[in-house]
Amino acid sequence: MSLTTAEARTALPAAPRLTTTVAKEYVHRDSVAEVFLTGCDTQDGVNFSLTGQWPRAHTMFRSLDGASHDPLQVAETFRQAGIYVSHVELGVPLGHNFVMSNITYTTDTASLRIASGPTDFDLDTRCTEIVRRRGVASRMAFEFALRRSGRPLAGGTGQISVIPPAVYNRLRQGRVAQPPAAAEAYPDRTLLPPSMVGRTFTTDVVLSDVPGAGSGGNPRWLLTPDLNHPILFDHKGDHVPGMVLLEAARQAACAVMAPHSFTPAAASNDFHQYAELDRPCWVEVTRVSHEAGNMVTMEVVGRQDGKDVFTSVLTGPVD
């Protein structure tokens, strides 16, 4: 006796639960390859248990020797977690714009070593503040605790504001992505050498040297990222993404320490306003403090039109 389609389907063993990434739209990425989260379980509407995976050989988020994950990959993972929870668990509709006002991270650099396979991790995410407007979450604060094989790897915090599309369009007055004016205003600029800023490839360098650019004795460089970079500009927007500014701060810190190498093991980053794509933005190292052992703390400030765009305080070892 032959089985009906429904009977045959019922007779089959249950398919195993397989690992896949979360939807890229929920972490504001265009490329699935740049999605690091694989799942999320809600604990009580405030606490969430996320899972994820980092590849062994990410084209950008790894150390120069290829032996360790990049601490900035932790920051990107926290960014994705905050956006994902906001959309999926807190009900923020897709299409709303997110503004990151602050993100911090502290890593155990020894735990960032790359093993013989991809790095699976667990990420505990707690909402410490949820402000709602007209029933929709409009401001959130998070605490993050990332574990690898059950052991702490990194912790941090983040603050996000959400802007509805109509409000965002009014605020931004229809701005569109366009090449930075610096490309024409500073034709004699020179990209910093990749090895000087902790990078392998010239295409990953976001800072340029401009003759006579010193400001009050502080070293500073022009922000000139490649707007077609597949990771830094994974999706188009009308301003410089926050992760590009974090990368600029790291590269500035590395440049100051060169020829020694600097690892941004911990950082606190505040974003004061949008960094526009069509006007020069200067990245300046305003403070360098040498601490016990080989640790150094640096303050990096991004300025545009005479106003502070972001401030980053980075701490890490110098080799």
Side-chain angles (χ1 to χ4, degrees):
M1 182 178 67
S2 61
L3 297 177
T4 65
T5 302
E7 290 172 333
R9 186 180 298 116
T10 303
L12 291 174
R17 183 177 178 180
L18 304 179
T19 300
T20 184
T21 66
V22 302
K24 59 187 178 66
E25 290 81 3
Y26 287 140
V27 296
H28 295 188
R29 280 298 193 181
D30 282 350
S31 172
V32 173
E34 296 307 317
V35 179
F36 300 139
L37 303 180
T38 58
C40 177
D41 289 326
T42 304
Q43 302 300 314
D44 52 16
V46 174
N47 294 280
F48 308 93
S49 298
L50 290 88
T51 55
Q53 184 183 88
W54 294 334
R56 290 178 61 193
H58 193 277
T59 57
M60 188 168 185
F61 289 129
R62 58 176 175 170
S63 59
L64 276 176
D65 61 7
S68 297
H69 295 293
D70 190 328
L72 264 64
Q73 193 164 22
V74 171
E76 169 60 17
T77 301
F78 290 171
R79 184 197 72 84
Q80 291 188 17
I83 293 175
Y84 180 84
V85 167
S86 298
H87 278 310
V88 176
E89 305 294 346
L90 302 182
V92 176
L94 290 173
H96 281 49
N97 295 273
F98 283 62
V99 178
M100 183 167 59
S101 56
N102 172 268
I103 189 167
T104 73
Y105 69 83
T106 301
T107 64
D108 174 10
T109 54
S111 297
L112 290 173
R113 298 288 292 182
I114 297 173
S116 59
T119 298
D120 294 309
F121 60 82
D122 297 295
L123 177 57
D124 295 330
T125 300
R126 174 179 173 81
C127 292
T128 58
E129 178 186 11
I130 305 175
V131 176
R132 298 184 183 274
R133 182 174 298 173
R134 297 179 181 177
V136 178
S138 62
R139 188 170 71 249
M140 294 79 72
F142 297 96
E143 291 178 349
F144 304 105
L146 194 153
R147 290 173 284 110
R148 178 183 184 180
S149 300
R151 296 187 297 273
L153 186 155
T157 62
Q159 293 180 322
I160 297 175
S161 295
V162 180
I163 305 176
V167 176
Y168 187 85
N169 290 337
R170 288 199 300 271
L171 290 173
R172 300 296 288 157
Q173 295 295 310
R175 279 188 171 272
V176 295
Q178 51 188 299
E184 299 175 0
Y186 301 94
D188 57 345
R189 75 194 191 289
T190 303
L191 282 172
L192 297 184
S195 60
M196 181 180 180
V197 296
R199 284 305 179 197
T200 302
F201 306 109
T202 301
T203 52
D204 294 338
V205 178
V206 302
L207 299 179
S208 286
D209 196 12
V210 176
S215 173
N218 291 330
R220 70 170 186 167
W221 300 272
L222 193 64
L223 180 64
T224 54
D226 177 3
L227 299 186
N228 292 313
H229 194 285
I231 298 169
L232 295 176
F233 289 88
D234 167 81
H235 57 281
K236 298 299 180 182
D238 63 2
H239 61 276
V240 180
M243 286 302 299
V244 177
L245 302 181
L246 264 63
E247 179 61 30
R250 180 259 286 286
Q251 292 191 15
C254 287
V256 167
M257 290 295 104
H260 301 286
S261 63
F262 171 75
T263 301
S268 176
N269 309 277
D270 293 301
F271 305 94
H272 311 301
Q273 62 181 48
Y274 294 110
E276 307 295 355
L277 289 161
D278 59 350
R279 297 198 297 279
C281 181
W282 295 93
V283 179
E284 180 177 338
V285 177
T286 55
R287 175 169 60 88
V288 179
S289 301
H290 293 268
E291 302 173 9
N294 62 339
M295 300 296 288
V296 173
T297 294
M298 283 174 275
E299 181 183 74
V300 181
V301 177
R303 295 193 174 101
Q304 191 172 62
D305 298 331
K307 299 179 181 178
D308 289 355
V309 172
F310 74 91
T311 303
S312 293
V313 179
L314 306 94
T315 298
V318 174
D319 298 322

